[in-house]
Amino acid sequence: MQGFESAASAETLWRALIEPDFLRAWYASEAIVEPAVGGRYATVSRLFGQREARIERFDPGARLQLLYESTADWPPLSDSALVEDFIIDERKGQRMLRVMGSGIPPEEEWAKTLVRLRTAWALAFAQLQLRLRE
């Protein structure tokens, strides 16, 4: 799990997750979002490469859950599915945006991919925090 606190509103944090123009400002060079359960969430970025997911949960201003399809950059997924869950909540007058990943197999071949995802989210969230301050 990774995340950060922000004075930005939950609405602004939500827009950062689902609006393609906003996503291009901090996360991806290309973004396609069909904002509804079952919708497509596709991005291309220098940090993550090309990724495509289906939106599994869509609670505006609170939670976005993505189920990712395998990519050529990842080792094969056997019986699991890669999920990223974005949660926006409030604590002590600040909003918190967190991403929780699950479904990464414990096999050694996935170790580098896990490190890459963790590092990429740390860098992406740092970029988002800069954009939110502007």
Side-chain angles (χ1 to χ4, degrees), residues 23-24 27-31 44-46:
L23 283 165
R24 284 189 283 273
Y27 172 66
S29 58
E30 297 176 36
V44 176
S45 79
R46 64 179 176 77

Side-chain angles (χ1 to χ4, degrees), residues 1-4 85-89 91 96-100 125:
M1 175 175 61
Q2 292 175 268
F4 66 93
D85 211 352
F86 297 88
I87 298 171
I88 300 169
D89 61 7
R91 294 182 185 172
M96 178 76 136
L97 173 59
R98 295 176 284 154
V99 61
M100 294 185 292
F125 276 171

Side-chain angles (χ1 to χ4, degrees), residues 15-120:
R15 287 181 42 233
L17 295 174
I18 65 156
E19 291 183 5
D21 287 342
F22 209 145
L23 283 165
R24 284 189 283 273
W26 70 276
Y27 172 66
S29 58
E30 297 176 36
I32 298 169
V33 179
E34 298 168 352
V37 171
R40 181 176 174 214
Y41 197 97
T43 58
V44 176
S45 79
R46 64 179 176 77
L47 295 173
F48 294 92
Q50 184 172 340
R51 305 172 84 198
E52 184 149 348
R54 184 177 72 236
I55 297 173
E56 292 290 304
R57 186 163 176 177
F58 191 84
D59 302 335
R63 189 169 177 189
L64 175 68
Q65 186 178 69
L66 305 174
L67 175 64
Y68 281 92
E69 298 176 10
S70 285
T71 73
D73 296 338
W74 293 346
L77 281 167
S78 52
D79 294 339
S80 63
L82 183 60
V83 175
E84 287 182 338
D85 211 352
F86 297 88
I87 298 171
I88 300 169
D89 61 7
E90 187 165 331
R91 294 182 185 172
K92 300 177 185 174
Q94 295 279 309
R95 261 67 51 213
M96 178 76 136
L97 173 59
R98 295 176 284 154
V99 61
M100 294 185 292
S102 62
I104 293 182
E107 287 86 18
E108 182 63 32
E109 64 187 335
W110 273 90
K112 287 182 182 179
T113 302
L114 179 59
V115 169
R116 180 180 175 200
L117 288 170
R118 286 181 176 160
T119 302

